[in-house]
Amino acid sequence: MPPPPRKHNLFGFQLKYYKYSFPAFLAVFAAGKFLDDKEKERTSRFRDKSAMFGGHVKPGDPPSWPHTFF
């Protein structure tokens, strides 16, 4: 009697489902980057208003700590 056919699995997942992993990864990465950029923007605005780190920034001027990464 021949052995039963092998299922094509990788780490417990069938290979037909791996086509969904790359778009899911991109969606999670984009959402994380968006949230991180919003947090950088929020903290930059706070730094300009704080008594300890605040400089002489007039309303409407760009933040003193611009985004330099990505």
Side-chain angles (χ1 to χ4, degrees):
M1 180 186 301
R6 282 187 65 193
K7 293 181 181 178
H8 297 284
N9 292 340
L10 182 65
F11 302 117
F13 296 104
Q14 292 183 6
L15 290 178
K16 65 182 179 180
Y17 296 119
Y18 275 91
K19 63 184 172 188
Y20 301 115
S21 63
F22 186 68
F25 172 77
L26 287 179
V28 169
F29 180 81
K33 177 152 178 26
F34 174 77
L35 291 174
D36 190 45
D37 288 345
K38 287 297 180 184
E39 181 65 16
K40 283 181 188 178
E41 180 183 334
R42 185 187 71 81
T43 55
S44 292
R45 284 185 287 140
F46 172 74
R47 284 182 192 141
D48 288 336
K49 293 178 183 177
S50 71
M52 181 186 259
F53 299 110
H56 304 289
V57 180
K58 295 178 179 69
D61 284 348
S64 59
W65 281 281
H67 302 294
T68 58
F69 225 48
F70 286 88

